[in-house]
């Protein structure tokens, strides 16, 4: 037998202690001190050591536990079938290994078929329905026993109190369903706004907000929280089911919402491809996902595969790269934005967060720095969410050494040196010097950005140069630049000058909403610009509109209305607009609403269409008033089938859903 090295014994002991502490901080206090990635790394290291040295087995090791201990305030209930957590994978080769393992256990060389699902970053729950009625709901707890949170779950709109009676499925006598409770981005934003209004600490992320909301002892508080649920599996049930996909379809039929991005019948290679597609799409989703779950589809094979003490052998979570990491703040400086707002920015010890090197993070404003007690030299948790600027989530106070320095907002603008002001009741500190070059540069960058004039090649560095050399004194001057003037700039050859001049010329045809957004009117972002463009249809109409008329538009309101009217009232702004239009900028106004020919019709897409991507088809259907759903049900009006259709085609045939091809769809769209 191998002799165990004392270093290994100590390492295992230290990892267990650390992980126990982090479990407590995460699950009980909802106040984690390390990133999930760091936690996962430690857990994997401990698991590997324990596997290599079985003599070190300890039933109390953090690896022997499925989840959190139940909270004492709630009653507990035993799950009929343990709610296991999923094993994790982080690379393609670990997924290929998973597939190999599955086939080895099953003793087959045949290709396996899997169902793939986005992995929601929320809290696992189990709901028990008897005779179609929700009777009890519980958290996963430690996997064996969960906390009873029925009253709280009853407040979640997407968790039905009664199952749907369908022709196809008679209501099961007993059904235990499992799913993930979460809070979406929009709900999270408004919840935190409300927390701040009430002078309460905002939640660090949607997951913490969902956890805090679900574990409220007073369910009237939970009722005010924007909790949602997607279902993804069953516990004990008397439904006779053959496959996981059939399970999900059945849940859907019974009125239990499943995620529309779930895909059935994929090979392991297709699963890996779908993971990449999901990772790219991740930031566009209205809720957080932290990976993709791959599940063996055939339930009899799932049974054969069984589980380890920790997780099922028939499923694996392919995690995305972590979006949170810890690092140190080296310094804090201040940036001036296009509206003169001073934003403190942290310079970080560079750190890889979810595959991108992060060097800077926004600290938002003075109040945020004070609230989070962020100091120069602090070790902090940084977070990146999609395309959003990285931000500091919290300070790791235990890493403080005493040399950290408190940051103070400057009294003067760091660019033009004029005195800055912070109005009463506002969080923002502003430079109000209208001729401040920092503001001008930012306004021009906004004007030429995507979603506005979208001028290819007019990058930030070039704008800085053009302003510094007095070639741009306003955004209207862009249209008075030419290749000759541009060629004089640093790192600008004749060809790139010519290309940029062409891009400027091309940008002169602009949709009204993009034009409005480009002007940089306070409170008029892309969304509001679209609303205003749709409502007022032309620039003249909007110029003539009163505060009341604009304020009455749904989605606008008095703050926006006042800002728009004030903007157009100022002569300098009117002159800018005239100079833009005088130089042949052509604003494209939408003259008539597209006919909503497919109003309320539900479409499902399957297979590869001839020359449309699914996203293009979806956009066209939605523009005509239709809806695109991810799965076929009785509510589906049309299944659009391309080549190599999936199982949706058979289901559509079973349910008598009309099946059409791309050409028919295009005809319906009047193309
Ligand atoms: C999440 N979190 O979205 C499972 N999950 O299946 C999905 N979790 C799961 N499936 C078995 N989609 C255990 C956990």
């Amino acid at each position: 037998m191998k002799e165990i090295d004392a270093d290994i014994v100590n390492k295992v002991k230290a990892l267990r202690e650390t992980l126990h502490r982090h479990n407590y901080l995460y699950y009980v206090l909802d106040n984690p001190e390390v990133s999930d990635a760091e936690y996962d790394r430690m857990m994997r290291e401990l698991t590997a050591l324990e596997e290599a040295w079985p003599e070190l087995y300890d039933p109390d090791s953090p690896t022997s536990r499925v989840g959190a201990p139940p909270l004492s305030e709630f009653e507990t209930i035993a799950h009929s079938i343990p709610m296991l957590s999923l094993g994790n994978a982080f690379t393609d080769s670990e997924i290929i290994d998973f597939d190999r393992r599955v086939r080895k256990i099953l003793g087959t060389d045949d290709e396996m078929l899997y169902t793939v699902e986005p992995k929601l970053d929320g809290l696992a729950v189990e709901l028990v329905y008897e005779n179609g009625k929700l009777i009890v709901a519980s958290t996963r707890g430690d996997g064996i026993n969960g906390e009873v949170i029925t009253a709280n779950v009853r407040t979640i709109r997407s968790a039905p109190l009664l199952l749907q009676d369908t022709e196809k499925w008679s209501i099961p006598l007993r059904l235990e369903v499992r799913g993930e409770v979460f809070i979406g981005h929009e709900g999270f934003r408004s919840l935190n706004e409300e927390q701040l209004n009430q002078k309460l600490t905002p939640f660090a992320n949607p997951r913490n907000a969902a956890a805090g909301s679900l574990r409220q002892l007073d369910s009237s508080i939970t009722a005010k929280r924007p909790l949602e649920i997607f279902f993804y599996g069953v516990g004990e049930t008397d439904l006779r089911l053959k496959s996981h996909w059939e399970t999900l379809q059945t849940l859907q039929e019974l009125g239990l919402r499943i995620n529309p991005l779930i895909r059935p019948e994929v090979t392991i290679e297709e699963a890996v491809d779908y993971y990449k597609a999901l990772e790219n799409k991740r930031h566009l989703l209205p809720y957080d996902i932290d990976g993709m779950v791959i599940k063996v589809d055939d339930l009899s094979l799932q049974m054969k595969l069984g589980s380890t003490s920790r997780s099922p052998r028939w499923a694996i979570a392919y995690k995305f790269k972590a979006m949170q990491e810890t690092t140190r703040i080296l310094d804090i400086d201040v940036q001036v934005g296009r509206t003169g707002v001073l934003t403190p920015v942290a310079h970080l010890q560079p750190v890889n967060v979810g595959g991108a090197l992060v060097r800077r993070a926004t600290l938002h404003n003075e109040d945020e720095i004070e609230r989070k007690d962020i100091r120069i030299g602090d070790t902090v948790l940084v977070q990146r969410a999609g395309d959003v600027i990285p931000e500091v989530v919290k300070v790791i106070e235990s890493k403080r050494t005493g040399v950290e320095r408190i940051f103070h907002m400057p009294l003067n603008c760091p660019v033009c040196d004029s005195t800055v002001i912070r109005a009463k009741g506002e969080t923002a500190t502003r430079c109000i010097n209208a001729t401040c070059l920092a503001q001008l540069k930012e306004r021009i960058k906004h004007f030429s950005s995507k979603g506005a004039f979208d001028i290819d090649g007019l990058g930030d560095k070039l704008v800085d140069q053009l302003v510094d050399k007095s070639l741009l004194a306003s955004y209207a001057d862009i249209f008075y630049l030419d290749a000759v003037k541009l060629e004089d700039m640093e790192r600008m050859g004749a060809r790139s000058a010519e290309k940029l001049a062409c891009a400027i010329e091309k940008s002169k045809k602009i949709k009204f909403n993009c034009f409005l957004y480009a002007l940089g009117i306070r409170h008029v972002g892309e969304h509001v610009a679209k609303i205003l463009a749709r409502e007022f249809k032309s620039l003249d109409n909007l110029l003539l509109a009163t505060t009341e008329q604009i304020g009455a538009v749904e989605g606008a309101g008095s703050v926006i209305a006042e800002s728009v009217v004030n903007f157009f009232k100022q002569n300098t702004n009117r002159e800018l607009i005239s100079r833009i239009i005088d130089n042949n900028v052509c604003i494209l106004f939408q003259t008539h609403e597209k006919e909503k020919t497919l109003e309320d019709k539900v479409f499902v897409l399957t297979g590869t269409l001839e020359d449309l991507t699914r996203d293009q088809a979806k956009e066209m259907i939605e523009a005509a008033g239709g809806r695109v759903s991810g799965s076929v049900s009785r509510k589906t009006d049309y299944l659009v089938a391309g080549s190599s259709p999936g199982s949706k085609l058979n289901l559509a045939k079973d349910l008598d859903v009309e099946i059409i091809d791309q050409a028919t769809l295009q005809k319906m769209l009047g193309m």
Side-chain angles (χ1 to χ4, degrees), residues 84-86 117-121 180 232 293 295 312 314-315:
L84 300 177
S85 57
L86 296 162
E117 318 179 349
K119 182 173 180 301
L120 287 135
D121 193 12
E180 197 85 354
Y232 54 64
V293 186
K295 296 179 179 171
W314 44 265

Side-chain angles (χ1 to χ4, degrees), residues 269-309:
E269 285 80 19
E270 287 166 341
V272 168
D273 286 347
Y274 193 54
Y275 169 87
K276 297 200 167 101
L278 264 186
E279 193 169 36
N280 286 333
K281 194 150 60 179
R282 173 184 190 190
H283 67 281
L284 299 172
L285 299 179
Y287 44 79
D288 281 350
I289 59 173
D290 60 349
M292 184 184 83
V293 186
I294 306 178
K295 296 179 179 171
V296 170
D297 193 45
D298 187 317
L299 295 185
S300 64
L301 298 183
Q302 282 192 7
M303 283 276 286
K304 276 192 198 149
L305 286 158
S307 310
T308 69
S309 63

